[in-house]
Amino acid sequence: MPDMIEKSAPAGEDAIPAQRGGAVAEAKAEKPRSLGLDAWHDLRKRPVFIISAVLIVVLVLFAIAPGLFTSVDPRAGDLSKHYLSKPNYLHLFQADWFGYDGQGRSIYARMIYGARASMVVGICVTAGVTIVGGLLGMAAGYYGGWVDTIISRFTDMAFGIPLLLGALVILNAFQVRTVWSVVFALVVLGWTQMTRVMRGSVITVKQSDYVTAAKALGAGTGRIMFKHILPNAIAPVIVVATIALGGYIAAEATLSFLGIGLQDPTISWGIDINSAQKVIRQAPFVLFFPAGMLSVTVLAFIMLGDAVRDALDPKLR
């Protein structure tokens, strides 16, 4: 009996380290996720994010490679194809699938090619206002004092100018209005919201203990701002930028609809909506398809922004 106890004791002692080793291995396997990885893990479970992401991927493919979806020239007009003839919904992905406009151009082809101008304007304007507004907001929030006062008052003055009205004034100065002139006009007037969002986020983050510790260790201003503050203050800006991208696409279409934005031969949903309003009673489908594509595009980015906001804000989980 004593021999059995002596033999069983080492087995129990060996089991305890084995259990501890398994626990340590499990602890090492479960590494803590960063905010970005945690948000991505949450986004993959959201149907709204999946639906909006699929729509945006399709729209990006329309813009990058429209030839994958149609071989029809969107600028080629054939007056023998009257716009009052109804669309042939059985001819999938063909020129007459959605009918023809007043100049005999394929509405389906123009709907596909029109995504390029809208996506370029939306992405470039969003990138421009995020960079300009982000830098100004970081400077105002981090330095405070007279720097904050000057930037904030200048932002308030610029914020008082309506986006579309100011864009109309700026674009009137261009003899030829292209995608880049529209991007310039919207960036000049659209950075104010990003500045306010970034300023408020930086003011909150710079009071954190890790920022104080970095200053105590002698870290430079650039390192503190871009290494410690920016990664932790960028989340609200990402959310606002994602939602605003859809708004800038709608702004471009509105300017083109008013005749002050993009011009022919550039293909734009706003231009097609403007042309379709003359025949809306006789052929409403000429207006329906470009307007529907514009609505779906704006809705996709708004849905994506809402999903990203919910994933990045722990309070909303």
Side-chain angles (χ1 to χ4, degrees):
M1 194 70 175
D3 295 339
M4 295 177 62
I5 295 175
E6 290 178 359
K7 292 180 180 179
S8 61
E13 292 176 358
D14 293 340
I16 293 174
Q19 293 175 357
R20 291 177 180 174
V24 172
E26 291 179 0
K28 290 182 178 179
E30 296 179 359
K31 295 181 179 180
R33 292 193 297 259
S34 63
L35 178 61
L37 291 176
D38 195 25
W40 171 245
H41 181 75
D42 184 69
L43 282 172
R44 291 183 300 177
K45 301 178 181 179
R46 295 178 179 270
V48 173
F49 170 76
I50 296 174
I51 294 173
S52 60
V54 170
L55 290 174
I56 292 172
V57 168
V58 173
L59 290 168
V60 171
L61 289 177
F62 284 173
I64 295 176
L68 295 177
F69 303 92
T70 180
S71 59
V72 180
D73 185 357
R75 298 183 179 88
D78 185 357
L79 295 180
S80 64
K81 299 178 174 64
H82 200 274
Y83 64 85
L84 291 180
S85 59
K86 295 182 179 181
N88 193 337
Y89 297 112
L90 298 179
H91 290 179
L92 301 180
F93 307 108
Q94 297 184 25
D96 60 345
W97 189 15
F98 296 152
Y100 297 90
D101 63 4
Q103 301 181 35
R105 299 173 300 188
S106 171
I107 296 177
Y108 168 68
R110 293 186 65 82
M111 185 187 71
I112 298 297
Y113 278 84
R116 177 174 296 176
S118 297
M119 296 298 291
V120 169
V121 169
I123 293 174
C124 291
V125 172
T126 302
V129 299
T130 301
I131 293 173
V132 175
L135 293 176
L136 290 175
M138 284 185 63
Y142 182 78
Y143 291 107
W146 64 269
V147 176
D148 185 18
T149 301
I150 293 176
I151 294 178
S152 296
R153 298 295 78 79
F154 182 68
T155 303
D156 292 340
M157 290 188 296
F159 192 78
I161 303 175
L163 180 64
L164 292 178
L165 180 59
L168 288 173
V169 175
I170 295 174
L171 289 173
N172 269 324
F174 292 89
Q175 293 183 352
V176 179
R177 294 183 291 274
T178 63
V179 169
W180 304 114
S181 58
V182 175
V183 170
F184 173 78
L186 294 178
V187 170
V188 168
L189 300 168
W191 57 269
T192 54
Q193 185 182 16
M194 295 298 177
T195 301
R196 288 184 167 186
V197 173
M198 179 62 85
R199 174 184 175 274
S201 184
V202 169
I203 289 175
T204 302
V205 171
K206 77 173 184 178
Q207 300 173 1
S208 303
D209 294 337
Y210 54 84
V211 176
T212 304
K215 291 180 180 179
L217 293 173
T221 301
R223 180 178 178 83
I224 293 174
M225 292 179 67
F226 293 97
K227 180 75 174 179
H228 299 284
I229 294 181
L230 181 60
N232 296 283
I234 197 67
V237 177
I238 294 175
V239 174
V240 174
T242 306
I243 297 176
L245 199 155
Y248 294 132
I249 292 177
E252 176 273 318
T254 303
L255 292 170
S256 300
F257 172 78
L258 295 174
I260 200 65
L262 300 178
Q263 297 174 314
D264 283 327
T266 304
I267 303 173
S268 169
W269 295 329
I271 296 176
D272 290 345
I273 293 172
N274 183 20
S275 302
Q277 65 177 337
K278 303 174 184 177
V279 295
I280 186 173
R281 293 185 178 180
Q282 296 87 351
F285 60 88
V286 180
L287 173 66
F288 174 76
F289 291 110
M293 280 296 297
L294 176 62
S295 300
V296 169
T297 303
V298 175
L299 179 61
F301 283 103
I302 292 177
M303 291 169 57
L304 180 65
D306 289 340
V308 172
R309 179 197 60 196
D310 296 342
L312 291 176
D313 192 349
K315 298 178 182 179
L316 298 177
R317 295 179 185 175

